[in-house]
mmCIF file of all heavy atoms in Angstrom:
data_model
loop_
_atom_site.group_PDB
_atom_site.id
_atom_site.type_symbol
_atom_site.label_atom_id
_atom_site.label_comp_id
_atom_site.label_asym_id
_atom_site.label_seq_id
_atom_site.Cartn_x
_atom_site.Cartn_y
_atom_site.Cartn_z
ATOM 1 N N THR P 7 11.794 19.481 9.423
ATOM 2 C CA THR P 7 10.824 18.784 10.221
ATOM 3 C C THR P 7 9.527 18.726 9.417
ATOM 4 O O THR P 7 9.231 19.607 8.619
ATOM 5 C CB THR P 7 10.638 19.521 11.615
ATOM 6 O OG1 THR P 7 9.821 18.593 12.382
ATOM 7 C CG2 THR P 7 10.061 20.788 11.456
ATOM 8 N N GLU P 8 8.704 17.825 9.673
ATOM 9 C CA GLU P 8 7.397 17.674 9.023
ATOM 10 C C GLU P 8 6.385 17.327 10.137
ATOM 11 O O GLU P 8 6.691 16.745 11.096
ATOM 12 C CB GLU P 8 7.448 16.576 7.970
ATOM 13 C CG GLU P 8 8.195 16.816 6.756
ATOM 14 C CD GLU P 8 8.081 15.697 5.646
ATOM 15 O OE1 GLU P 8 6.936 15.224 5.584
ATOM 16 O OE2 GLU P 8 8.924 15.667 4.825
ATOM 17 N N PHE P 9 5.187 17.926 9.895
ATOM 18 C CA PHE P 9 4.106 17.686 10.776
ATOM 19 C C PHE P 9 2.721 17.814 9.964
ATOM 20 O O PHE P 9 2.789 18.358 8.894
ATOM 21 C CB PHE P 9 4.079 18.520 12.057
ATOM 22 C CG PHE P 9 4.136 19.997 11.623
ATOM 23 C CD1 PHE P 9 2.940 20.732 11.523
ATOM 24 C CD2 PHE P 9 5.339 20.681 11.546
ATOM 25 C CE1 PHE P 9 2.967 22.069 11.208
ATOM 26 C CE2 PHE P 9 5.390 22.034 11.250
ATOM 27 C CZ PHE P 9 4.159 22.693 11.073
ATOM 28 N N THR P 10 1.669 17.391 10.655
ATOM 29 C CA THR P 10 0.370 17.668 10.001
ATOM 30 C C THR P 10 -0.479 18.472 10.917
ATOM 31 O O THR P 10 -0.269 18.523 12.178
ATOM 32 C CB THR P 10 -0.386 16.359 9.643
ATOM 33 O OG1 THR P 10 -0.602 15.595 10.848
ATOM 34 C CG2 THR P 10 0.429 15.568 8.763
ATOM 35 N N PHE P 11 -1.579 19.142 10.333
ATOM 36 C CA PHE P 11 -2.557 19.719 11.186
ATOM 37 C C PHE P 11 -3.865 19.662 10.397
ATOM 38 O O PHE P 11 -3.751 19.667 9.212
ATOM 39 C CB PHE P 11 -2.234 21.133 11.586
ATOM 40 C CG PHE P 11 -2.158 22.147 10.444
ATOM 41 C CD1 PHE P 11 -3.288 22.905 10.081
ATOM 42 C CD2 PHE P 11 -1.074 22.355 9.801
ATOM 43 C CE1 PHE P 11 -3.201 23.706 9.086
ATOM 44 C CE2 PHE P 11 -0.823 23.221 8.785
ATOM 45 C CZ PHE P 11 -1.952 23.995 8.424
ATOM 46 N N ASP P 12 -4.966 19.617 11.066
ATOM 47 C CA ASP P 12 -6.349 19.507 10.474
ATOM 48 C C ASP P 12 -6.967 20.867 10.526
ATOM 49 O O ASP P 12 -7.163 21.429 11.710
ATOM 50 C CB ASP P 12 -7.173 18.469 11.121
ATOM 51 C CG ASP P 12 -6.659 17.103 10.883
ATOM 52 O OD1 ASP P 12 -6.406 16.697 9.657
ATOM 53 O OD2 ASP P 12 -6.288 16.398 11.883
ATOM 54 N N VAL P 34 2.989 19.768 6.465
ATOM 55 C CA VAL P 34 3.965 20.830 6.346
ATOM 56 C C VAL P 34 5.267 20.354 6.635
ATOM 57 O O VAL P 34 5.669 19.448 7.301
ATOM 58 C CB VAL P 34 3.724 21.890 7.484
ATOM 59 C CG1 VAL P 34 4.725 23.080 7.452
ATOM 60 C CG2 VAL P 34 2.297 22.427 7.432
ATOM 61 N N LEU P 36 9.152 22.103 6.893
ATOM 62 C CA LEU P 36 9.920 23.224 7.088
ATOM 63 C C LEU P 36 11.412 22.861 7.053
ATOM 64 O O LEU P 36 11.903 21.872 7.587
ATOM 65 C CB LEU P 36 9.607 23.772 8.437
ATOM 66 C CG LEU P 36 8.194 24.203 8.853
ATOM 67 C CD1 LEU P 36 8.063 24.641 10.352
ATOM 68 C CD2 LEU P 36 7.654 25.286 7.912
ATOM 69 N N PHE P 58 13.248 22.510 17.474
ATOM 70 C CA PHE P 58 12.090 21.939 16.778
ATOM 71 C C PHE P 58 10.768 22.397 17.409
ATOM 72 O O PHE P 58 9.804 22.522 16.691
ATOM 73 C CB PHE P 58 12.203 20.319 16.821
ATOM 74 C CG PHE P 58 13.165 19.880 15.896
ATOM 75 C CD1 PHE P 58 14.288 19.253 16.307
ATOM 76 C CD2 PHE P 58 13.092 19.938 14.558
ATOM 77 C CE1 PHE P 58 15.238 18.594 15.479
ATOM 78 C CE2 PHE P 58 14.021 19.464 13.578
ATOM 79 C CZ PHE P 58 15.090 18.819 14.064
ATOM 80 N N LYS P 59 10.733 22.695 18.671
ATOM 81 C CA LYS P 59 9.528 23.097 19.425
ATOM 82 C C LYS P 59 9.032 24.430 18.803
ATOM 83 O O LYS P 59 7.867 24.682 18.567
ATOM 84 C CB LYS P 59 9.724 23.365 20.761
ATOM 85 C CG LYS P 59 9.859 22.013 21.676
ATOM 86 C CD LYS P 59 10.061 22.403 23.142
ATOM 87 C CE LYS P 59 10.189 21.128 23.989
ATOM 88 N NZ LYS P 59 10.253 21.454 25.392
ATOM 89 N N THR P 60 10.015 25.295 18.510
ATOM 90 C CA THR P 60 9.697 26.555 17.866
ATOM 91 C C THR P 60 9.204 26.381 16.485
ATOM 92 O O THR P 60 8.178 27.083 16.084
ATOM 93 C CB THR P 60 10.948 27.473 17.776
ATOM 94 O OG1 THR P 60 11.405 27.594 19.181
ATOM 95 C CG2 THR P 60 10.676 28.752 17.253
ATOM 96 N N LEU P 61 9.804 25.514 15.683
ATOM 97 C CA LEU P 61 9.307 25.323 14.308
ATOM 98 C C LEU P 61 7.889 24.666 14.157
ATOM 99 O O LEU P 61 7.234 24.851 13.285
ATOM 100 C CB LEU P 61 10.361 24.350 13.517
ATOM 101 C CG LEU P 61 11.689 25.025 13.321
ATOM 102 C CD1 LEU P 61 12.560 24.011 12.753
ATOM 103 C CD2 LEU P 61 11.754 26.356 12.683
ATOM 104 N N LYS P 62 7.511 23.862 15.157
ATOM 105 C CA LYS P 62 6.325 23.135 14.977
ATOM 106 C C LYS P 62 5.157 23.868 15.727
ATOM 107 O O LYS P 62 4.041 23.216 15.998
ATOM 108 C CB LYS P 62 6.452 21.786 15.737
ATOM 109 C CG LYS P 62 7.393 20.837 14.933
ATOM 110 C CD LYS P 62 7.427 19.450 15.672
ATOM 111 C CE LYS P 62 8.313 18.560 14.795
ATOM 112 N NZ LYS P 62 8.252 17.202 15.275
ATOM 113 N N TRP P 63 5.124 25.167 15.843
ATOM 114 C CA TRP P 63 4.083 25.961 16.480
ATOM 115 C C TRP P 63 2.653 25.656 15.772
ATOM 116 O O TRP P 63 1.691 25.602 16.499
ATOM 117 C CB TRP P 63 4.351 27.393 16.431
ATOM 118 C CG TRP P 63 4.449 27.978 15.051
ATOM 119 C CD1 TRP P 63 5.400 27.983 14.195
ATOM 120 C CD2 TRP P 63 3.210 28.593 14.452
ATOM 121 N NE1 TRP P 63 5.059 28.562 12.995
ATOM 122 C CE2 TRP P 63 3.713 28.948 13.146
ATOM 123 C CE3 TRP P 63 1.946 28.749 14.674
ATOM 124 C CZ2 TRP P 63 2.791 29.358 12.271
ATOM 125 C CZ3 TRP P 63 1.140 29.291 13.830
ATOM 126 C CH2 TRP P 63 1.614 29.718 12.551
ATOM 127 N N ALA P 64 2.686 25.514 14.440
ATOM 128 C CA ALA P 64 1.445 25.505 13.748
ATOM 129 C C ALA P 64 0.621 24.169 13.909
ATOM 130 O O ALA P 64 -0.483 23.994 13.808
ATOM 131 C CB ALA P 64 1.627 25.629 12.192
ATOM 132 N N LYS P 65 1.463 23.175 14.494
ATOM 133 C CA LYS P 65 0.860 21.816 14.749
ATOM 134 C C LYS P 65 -0.082 21.955 16.081
ATOM 135 O O LYS P 65 -0.902 21.136 16.238
ATOM 136 C CB LYS P 65 1.971 20.849 15.049
ATOM 137 C CG LYS P 65 1.528 19.507 15.341
ATOM 138 C CD LYS P 65 2.729 18.608 15.660
ATOM 139 C CE LYS P 65 2.253 17.167 16.167
ATOM 140 N NZ LYS P 65 2.639 16.141 15.291
ATOM 141 N N LYS P 66 0.145 22.870 16.798
ATOM 142 C CA LYS P 66 -0.663 23.020 18.135
ATOM 143 C C LYS P 66 -2.052 23.317 17.759
ATOM 144 O O LYS P 66 -2.458 23.954 16.787
ATOM 145 C CB LYS P 66 -0.184 24.166 18.921
ATOM 146 C CG LYS P 66 1.310 23.930 19.455
ATOM 147 C CD LYS P 66 1.769 25.111 20.366
ATOM 148 C CE LYS P 66 3.101 24.971 20.850
ATOM 149 N NZ LYS P 66 3.567 26.135 21.615
ATOM 150 N N ASP P 67 -2.939 23.057 18.741
ATOM 151 C CA ASP P 67 -4.473 23.371 18.654
ATOM 152 C C ASP P 67 -4.574 24.921 18.467
ATOM 153 O O ASP P 67 -3.755 25.728 19.023
ATOM 154 C CB ASP P 67 -5.160 22.845 19.815
ATOM 155 C CG ASP P 67 -6.622 23.083 19.710
ATOM 156 O OD1 ASP P 67 -7.291 22.315 19.096
ATOM 157 O OD2 ASP P 67 -7.170 24.043 20.312
ATOM 158 N N VAL P 68 -5.712 25.243 17.780
ATOM 159 C CA VAL P 68 -5.834 26.660 17.523
ATOM 160 C C VAL P 68 -5.927 27.416 18.874
ATOM 161 O O VAL P 68 -5.493 28.667 18.928
ATOM 162 C CB VAL P 68 -7.105 26.908 16.591
ATOM 163 C CG1 VAL P 68 -8.428 26.470 17.314
ATOM 164 C CG2 VAL P 68 -7.254 28.426 16.190
ATOM 165 N N ALA P 70 -4.213 26.992 21.437
ATOM 166 C CA ALA P 70 -2.858 27.211 21.890
ATOM 167 C C ALA P 70 -2.001 27.988 20.954
ATOM 168 O O ALA P 70 -0.883 27.946 21.065
ATOM 169 C CB ALA P 70 -2.334 25.781 22.180
ATOM 170 N N GLY P 71 -2.585 28.556 19.964
ATOM 171 C CA GLY P 71 -1.832 29.561 19.062
ATOM 172 C C GLY P 71 -1.452 28.853 17.814
ATOM 173 O O GLY P 71 -0.730 29.453 16.944
ATOM 174 N N GLY P 72 -1.894 27.572 17.521
ATOM 175 C CA GLY P 72 -1.548 26.886 16.268
ATOM 176 C C GLY P 72 -2.579 27.046 15.290
ATOM 177 O O GLY P 72 -3.478 27.820 15.334
ATOM 178 N N LEU P 73 -2.639 26.093 14.342
ATOM 179 C CA LEU P 73 -3.549 25.917 13.206
ATOM 180 C C LEU P 73 -4.387 24.728 13.293
ATOM 181 O O LEU P 73 -5.261 24.584 12.443
ATOM 182 C CB LEU P 73 -2.876 26.076 11.908
ATOM 183 C CG LEU P 73 -2.051 27.449 11.718
ATOM 184 C CD1 LEU P 73 -1.327 27.301 10.229
ATOM 185 C CD2 LEU P 73 -2.978 28.510 11.628
ATOM 186 N N ASP P 74 -4.096 23.815 14.162
ATOM 187 C CA ASP P 74 -4.843 22.570 14.247
ATOM 188 C C ASP P 74 -6.278 22.787 14.670
ATOM 189 O O ASP P 74 -6.507 23.531 15.660
ATOM 190 C CB ASP P 74 -4.250 21.509 15.152
ATOM 191 C CG ASP P 74 -4.787 20.214 15.025
ATOM 192 O OD1 ASP P 74 -4.826 19.724 13.881
ATOM 193 O OD2 ASP P 74 -5.056 19.560 16.120
ATOM 194 N N HIS P 75 -7.164 22.253 13.983
ATOM 195 C CA HIS P 75 -8.709 22.388 14.162
ATOM 196 C C HIS P 75 -9.164 23.886 14.198
ATOM 197 O O HIS P 75 -10.047 24.190 14.826
ATOM 198 C CB HIS P 75 -9.042 21.745 15.314
ATOM 199 C CG HIS P 75 -9.053 20.260 15.186
ATOM 200 N ND1 HIS P 75 -7.962 19.450 15.296
ATOM 201 C CD2 HIS P 75 -10.148 19.329 14.778
ATOM 202 C CE1 HIS P 75 -8.229 18.232 14.946
ATOM 203 N NE2 HIS P 75 -9.576 18.092 14.706
ATOM 204 N N ILE P 97 2.433 30.689 7.165
ATOM 205 C CA ILE P 97 3.321 29.862 8.076
ATOM 206 C C ILE P 97 4.787 30.315 7.997
ATOM 207 O O ILE P 97 5.392 30.395 9.147
ATOM 208 C CB ILE P 97 3.131 28.368 7.685
ATOM 209 C CG1 ILE P 97 1.833 27.845 7.865
ATOM 210 C CG2 ILE P 97 4.153 27.437 8.332
ATOM 211 C CD1 ILE P 97 1.414 26.438 7.380
#
Side-chain angles (χ1 to χ4, degrees):
T7 189
E8 291 190 25
F9 57 88
T10 63
F11 65 91
D12 296 301
V34 177
L36 302 175
F58 284 117
K59 288 181 181 183
T60 302
L61 296 179
K62 292 183 177 188
W63 69 272
K65 180 183 174 118
K66 293 180 183 176
D67 185 78
V68 66
L73 298 176
D74 193 48
H75 287 80
I97 291 171

